[in-house]
Amino acid sequence: MDRRILDLNFAQLSKSWAKSKFNNYADQKKQEHIKQLSELYEKLKQEDFSQLDIDDITQRSYIIDFFFKNLEFLENSTLNLIPFEIVECLRYALHDWLDAPDSYIIVTSLVNNLMSYSFDPMLAIDFYYPIVKTVYGLEFTHRLIQINIPRFLVRDYLASVALYHELGHFVDNFHEITFRIAGHMAAGLNNQTVINDDLADVLKFFPFIQQPTGSYEYITQNNFARFKSHIAEYFCDIFASQYIDNSLNDYLLYITKNQDKPGPNHPATTHRVEMSNSFLSGNHDSYVLKTIINATQIITNRSISTKYTKFKEDDLINLLPADISEPSQLHYLFTTGWKIWKTDFPNISTQNNIVTPLEDEKVYDVVNNLIEKSIGNYIVHTSWKKATK
């Protein structure tokens, strides 16, 4: 590896860091993370790269990669870009699934593709951190949960239901849920203990699995990765449904154009919606659904179950922020927002004596503002109660 390329890489980092180190963030944990990055930058700056051997250069290149990856998300998680209200709702959900949730910071990166909600695991797992500790003796207090958000939808509370699905990918990675489920199901398929209705259920939700003619190897090295990926998508849809009911389904069907064929990484959208609707209805006859629910309980010692609480919608109908009294009600705000958008706004117009029909763009603004202010009021009220104690 060429040492001068490492010099170039560090010069590029220095230029980016000169701007990013002055960013302001909504919470103290991000500020602390920036301070630790500053310590890491000073360690790099003091190095004489010309004295390094090939292995040392490789380690430093990984550390610079780690630094840039941090900046990628921290740049897009400033006060001016990402609404803290959305992150706060996700943070409450995270507390349901981790013993030490405060060790993690939810951060975002903005992408130009309208469909590009995704989870990036690189700063949540222990790939870079041991290298930083070995080379410079620095330990970072927090890991980052990195979620990509379409730039055009950064303040869209209706589309933000997709973020619960992406948080599910982090929870899945953290507990290695679908990796274990895939291994268990693959063993059952290949040793022929999954039979009859259960087998038919698997073949329905994973139609790319071919019924073997001789060896009885349903799951092979060639299709295991795809099998696991599809299980992960089903898991994350169910995970999201705990918090936002069925409010992701219509949006998902629309943006995937009612996809009824499985892709390389995602099941058919029609099957995904069917799976989450079965979970929500309490109809758990599906072998795949039962396996996901039961395995998650065993692996995490936490249950997949409804985690939102309904509230009276009178305030929202009167175009006032909802009176939220507990975190579980925050999640239901998104479901209520979709209900208002899809069916209730004509009734709201009548209730509030709005004679001239509002354009959809105005209705969109009203719904988003009601959700945002409802969350914001709850956060302010909760913070005030903590301060007075």
Side-chain angles (χ1 to χ4, degrees), residues 328-342:
S328 60
Q329 292 179 333
L330 291 175
H331 309 307
Y332 190 66
L333 273 167
F334 297 95
T335 304
T336 307
W338 272 101
K339 181 171 175 282
I340 291 173
W341 172 259
K342 290 172 61 179

Side-chain angles (χ1 to χ4, degrees), residues 106-129:
I106 297 173
V107 293
T108 55
S109 181
L110 305 185
V111 292
N112 289 325
N113 189 330
L114 191 62
M115 310 303 175
S116 289
Y117 285 102
S118 61
F119 164 69
D120 185 333
M122 287 309 296
L123 293 181
I125 61 175
D126 281 337
F127 176 76
Y128 290 117
Y129 300 98

Side-chain angles (χ1 to χ4, degrees), residues 90-159:
L90 296 178
R91 190 181 68 81
Y92 279 119
L94 186 66
H95 276 247
D96 295 332
W97 293 92
L98 267 64
D99 292 330
D102 290 333
S103 299
Y104 288 85
I105 306 172
I106 297 173
V107 293
T108 55
S109 181
L110 305 185
V111 292
N112 289 325
N113 189 330
L114 191 62
M115 310 303 175
S116 289
Y117 285 102
S118 61
F119 164 69
D120 185 333
M122 287 309 296
L123 293 181
I125 61 175
D126 281 337
F127 176 76
Y128 290 117
Y129 300 98
I131 299 175
V132 173
K133 183 178 180 181
T134 298
V135 174
Y136 293 128
L138 295 177
E139 290 194 68
F140 277 74
T141 306
H142 302 102
R143 303 291 189 265
L144 303 187
I145 301 172
Q146 316 145 71
I147 297 177
N148 294 313
I149 298 176
R151 187 178 304 276
F152 311 105
L153 302 178
V154 70
R155 291 187 175 274
D156 188 314
Y157 286 86
L158 295 176

Side-chain angles (χ1 to χ4, degrees), residues 74-265:
L74 289 168
E75 270 293 293
N76 291 312
S77 296
T78 62
L79 285 167
N80 295 328
L81 283 175
I82 181 70
F84 72 92
E85 290 89 353
I86 292 175
V87 173
E88 192 71 0
C89 292
L90 296 178
R91 190 181 68 81
Y92 279 119
L94 186 66
H95 276 247
D96 295 332
W97 293 92
L98 267 64
D99 292 330
D102 290 333
S103 299
Y104 288 85
I105 306 172
I106 297 173
V107 293
T108 55
S109 181
L110 305 185
V111 292
N112 289 325
N113 189 330
L114 191 62
M115 310 303 175
S116 289
Y117 285 102
S118 61
F119 164 69
D120 185 333
M122 287 309 296
L123 293 181
I125 61 175
D126 281 337
F127 176 76
Y128 290 117
Y129 300 98
I131 299 175
V132 173
K133 183 178 180 181
T134 298
V135 174
Y136 293 128
L138 295 177
E139 290 194 68
F140 277 74
T141 306
H142 302 102
R143 303 291 189 265
L144 303 187
I145 301 172
Q146 316 145 71
I147 297 177
N148 294 313
I149 298 176
R151 187 178 304 276
F152 311 105
L153 302 178
V154 70
R155 291 187 175 274
D156 188 314
Y157 286 86
L158 295 176
S160 291
V161 291
L163 299 182
Y164 284 89
H165 174 99
E166 301 308 330
L167 184 66
H169 280 297
F170 165 74
V171 171
D172 178 18
N173 274 258
F174 182 87
H175 291 291
E176 297 184 329
I177 297 169
T178 60
F179 177 78
R180 301 185 196 186
I181 291 174
H184 169 76
M185 288 179 64
L189 289 165
N190 289 343
N191 65 25
Q192 302 176 63
T193 57
V194 178
I195 57 174
N196 301 331
D197 289 346
D198 291 346
L199 176 58
D201 191 66
V202 172
L203 297 179
K204 171 185 174 180
F205 286 105
F206 304 90
F208 59 87
I209 297 176
Q210 299 298 313
Q211 184 131 10
T213 56
S215 64
Y216 292 101
E217 288 291 317
Y218 285 93
I219 306 300
T220 66
Q221 287 185 337
N222 291 332
N223 65 9
F224 180 79
R226 187 181 186 188
F227 182 56
K228 184 176 82 70
S229 178
H230 284 216
I231 293 173
E233 294 303 318
Y234 286 129
F235 168 81
C236 292
D237 289 336
I238 297 166
F239 178 91
S241 297
Q242 300 176 102
Y243 296 97
I244 56 171
D245 200 68
N246 64 354
S247 56
L248 179 59
N249 289 347
D250 287 342
Y251 191 58
L252 187 62
L253 283 167
Y254 176 80
I255 63 177
T256 63
K257 309 299 185 281
N258 285 20
Q259 178 190 353
D260 60 0
K261 297 290 189 297
N265 300 314

